[in-house]
Amino acid sequence: MSALLIAGSPSERSRSAALLDAVSQRLHARGALADRIHIRNLSPQALLLADFGH
């Protein structure tokens, strides 16, 4: 099983980031793969234009 964790907070350290860390650790403990995307690292223009190739 694999999961994609999406962090939407604009700050580096947030409560939701801490929650995603805990979820990721639990998934890894059960043998699942977890990848994370930080929305703040994505291009605003690509998000607004729905540029899936970015």
Side-chain angles (χ1 to χ4, degrees):
M1 179 172 95
S2 62
L4 177 62
L5 306 174
I6 302 173
S9 177
S11 65
E12 181 72 28
R13 307 296 299 161
S14 66
R15 291 179 293 197
S16 59
L19 176 62
L20 289 179
D21 287 340
V23 169
S24 179
Q25 290 174 1
R26 287 183 180 232
L27 288 170
H28 285 295
R30 295 193 167 132
L33 299 174
D35 289 319
R36 184 182 296 188
I37 292 178
H38 295 275
I39 298 296
R40 71 177 172 278
N41 294 337
L42 300 176
S43 162
Q45 183 177 0
L47 290 171
L48 288 173
L49 299 176
D51 181 3
F52 297 107
H54 190 281

